[in-house]
Amino acid sequence: MDLLLLPSLSNCCFPRLLPSNINASLVTSGSSVRVPRPFQCKAAISEIASHDPIVARRSANYQPSIWHHNYIESLTSEFVRFSIVKDETGQFKASLCHDIKGLLCLYEASFLLIEGESVLEEARDFATKELKRYINEGNKDSNLSTIVRHALELPFHWRMRRFEVRWFIDENRRKKDMNPMLLELAELDFNMVQAVHQEELKQMSRWWKSTCLGEKLSFARDRLIENFIWAVGMSWEPQFGYFRRTLTKINVLLTVIDDVYDVYGTLDELELFTDAVESGQISVDLICRRQSGITARGDVPKSIQCYMKETGATEEEAREYVRSSIAATWKKMNEEGAASSPFSQTFTEIAKNLGRMAQFMYLYGDGHAKQNRESKDRVFSLCVHPIPPHRDEQE
């Protein structure tokens, strides 16, 4: 259509087309036939009729759908209602208590829940209780008992992926029924990726030494390896080396700045320091942390101590509150992960891995600040010691 004709049609609304089986002469004010009332047009009816005659429409005579709405609404699934693991009374079947591997799978799956999934909450409570009973009774299957203890300490969904690879390889080496070819492939893969990480760590060590910050700022934590572990935990794949190197540098510098606020600077100095570095977008909230008070060890109060002081709760109550807060946060993360997102899957997985790394680093205390035995062993297993071939151990 010629675009020049459009302005002339701005005040005109076209009549609706009538079905072919309705006589147009019946469409009158006194007609008993109820059809949609056509829109009135300011243009002459005769002019419209001459240009837009009523079109006779064809029909394919399709049959009505056999899938009725009521039938679709009545659809049910025993899997949605967990009836395969529950009895007629709605309780979990007693037979499940003897299937430890099945209970372990149920326990791990329950941590994928989102807010409002009460059945999975019940499943987690039931599986946790029965798995603890299995451990307390004492059993001959030491390998299965070790895996159950490991899961009860922290579920797989919350654990740092790279460390879990090493842990499961080491554990499967003790199994009598392990697949030797599959185990050898897993060992080779881990060692090859570890070699990539070692080269990156060497680069980071040369960079950190060149800055001389570790020597000049003796009050700050020198935690290059720990910060590199953060980067590995968030994205361990070999192709993301640039990401790991960049994130390591950022984390190292943030650790130093954090110690300037928490340990070294006075309030007046910190205000000046914040003004000086604000173009790195450092939050003034760090000053608030300084004002909140410092413990005898020189650290700012941790969340448990803060909750105890604010509410008067006991340490165990405060720990339970923190645990429930972590679980609630994971529900939100699970829900966000399942929803459609404008971000790539790689980005969203890295975001989840940040949460996993936090639990990994602080599982046995402050693994970032304190270089205790657990943190040292984890560094060795992740970045230093390759997995020896299984046949060498057998010899």
Side-chain angles (χ1 to χ4, degrees):
M1 181 183 290
D2 192 341
L3 295 178
L4 297 177
L5 297 179
L6 290 179
S8 64
L9 300 178
S10 61
N11 295 323
C12 179
C13 296
F14 293 103
R16 296 176 181 171
L17 295 175
L18 299 177
S20 59
N21 58 350
I22 295 180
N23 192 334
S25 64
L26 295 178
V27 185
T28 63
S29 59
S31 174
S32 61
V33 179
R34 300 187 63 84
V35 296
R37 183 178 178 181
F39 293 107
Q40 296 298 319
C41 180
K42 294 182 180 180
I45 300 295
S46 59
E47 292 181 8
I48 297 177
S50 62
H51 294 290
D52 283 326
I54 296 176
V55 179
R57 301 291 179 179
R58 295 177 297 171
S59 174
N61 295 320
Y62 291 121
Q63 296 297 319
S65 173
I66 64 174
W67 307 109
H68 298 290
H69 169 73
N70 292 338
Y71 172 76
I72 297 174
E73 286 290 322
S74 68
L75 295 177
T76 59
S77 172
E78 61 181 15
F79 298 98
V80 173
R81 300 182 182 275
F82 268 73
S83 61
I84 57 173
V85 294
K86 286 189 173 184
D87 57 24
E88 308 79 39
T89 65
Q91 302 297 318
F92 286 93
K93 296 179 179 179
S95 59
L96 294 173
C97 301
H98 307 292
D99 182 7
I100 303 304
K101 292 183 178 180
L103 280 173
L104 189 59
C105 292
L106 181 63
Y107 169 84
E108 294 286 8
S110 69
F111 285 90
L112 298 172
L113 82 170
I114 62 176
E115 191 64 43
E117 292 184 328
S118 57
V119 176
L120 282 177
E121 294 268 12
E122 296 173 14
R124 184 183 61 189
D125 295 340
F126 170 77
T128 300
K129 181 184 70 174
E130 295 302 325
L131 290 174
K132 287 182 177 179
R133 179 183 298 176
Y134 170 79
I135 294 298
N136 294 333
E137 289 176 351
N139 293 274
K140 297 180 179 180
D141 192 339
S142 59
N143 180 264
L144 183 57
S145 297
T146 301
I147 295 176
V148 169
R149 288 191 185 93
H150 187 70
L152 289 175
E153 182 183 52
L154 203 67
F156 175 78
H157 186 54
W158 294 4
R159 285 189 177 270
M160 188 258 227
R161 292 294 185 249
R162 184 63 181 166
F163 185 76
E164 285 302 281
V165 171
R166 178 64 188 256
W167 190 90
F168 273 104
I169 289 176
D170 291 341
E171 193 58 35
N172 275 275
R173 290 159 72 92
R174 303 184 182 96
K175 293 179 64 175
K176 296 180 180 179
D177 59 344
M178 58 85 181
N179 185 326
M181 294 185 63
L182 185 61
L183 180 62
E184 184 177 359
L185 179 62
E187 293 169 348
L188 180 62
D189 176 78
F190 182 90
N191 290 340
M192 292 175 65
V193 175
Q194 186 190 68
V196 174
H197 294 164
Q198 286 179 351
E199 291 302 315
E200 294 172 354
L201 184 57
K202 292 177 183 178
Q203 296 179 41
M204 292 298 94
S205 182
R206 290 191 289 267
W207 165 80
W208 177 238
K209 185 177 180 181
S210 68
T211 64
C212 299
L213 290 177
E215 302 171 3
K216 295 179 180 179
L217 304 178
S218 58
F219 63 87
R221 290 166 291 178
D222 188 347
R223 296 294 182 266
L224 174 67
I225 290 185
E226 287 78 5
N227 283 301
F228 181 73
I229 294 294
W230 277 93
V232 170
M234 292 175 65
S235 183
W236 57 268
E237 295 88 339
Q239 65 268 30
F240 297 125
Y242 178 77
F243 167 82
R244 284 188 294 274
R245 294 191 299 272
T246 303
L247 186 61
T248 299
K249 293 179 180 180
I250 294 173
N251 288 343
V252 167
L253 296 176
L254 286 177
T255 299
V256 172
I257 293 174
D258 187 61
D259 289 336
V260 169
Y261 279 91
D262 289 346
V263 178
Y264 189 74
T266 66
L267 183 58
D268 292 337
E269 291 172 340
L270 294 179
E271 290 175 345
L272 294 174
F273 182 69
T274 301
D275 293 338
V277 298
E278 199 167 27
S279 60
Q281 297 181 347
I282 298 176
S283 175
V284 182
D285 291 342
L286 290 173
I287 295 182
C288 297
R289 293 177 53 192
R290 176 68 176 177
Q291 288 177 302
S292 64
I294 301 177
T295 64
R297 297 173 298 174
D299 294 331
V300 294
K302 301 298 186 286
S303 56
I304 292 177
Q305 286 81 5
C306 289
Y307 185 80
M308 292 171 61
K309 183 177 180 180
E310 293 173 0
T311 65
T314 64
E315 182 175 346
E316 183 55 36
E317 290 172 340
R319 290 184 181 277
E320 181 57 34
Y321 172 79
V322 172
R323 282 193 288 263
S324 63
S325 298
I326 292 173
T329 302
W330 270 108
K331 287 181 184 178
K332 295 178 182 178
M333 292 175 66
N334 292 339
E335 188 169 8
E336 291 295 329
S340 59
S341 172
F343 303 106
S344 67
Q345 185 176 357
T346 300
F347 181 89
T348 55
E349 191 63 22
I350 289 176
K352 291 180 183 178
N353 286 340
L354 178 58
R356 293 177 177 128
M357 261 310 302
Q359 294 189 264
F360 172 81
M361 191 62 73
Y362 299 106
L363 183 60
Y364 303 112
D366 192 345
H368 189 82
K370 299 179 180 178
Q371 296 176 316
N372 52 29
R373 181 179 60 84
E374 288 83 3
S375 62
K376 183 178 178 180
D377 290 343
R378 290 185 298 184
V379 168
F380 277 129
S381 65
L382 285 172
C383 298
V384 179
H385 294 156
I387 302 175
H390 189 60
R391 58 179 178 270
D392 292 351
E393 286 191 349
Q394 291 178 327
E395 294 173 359

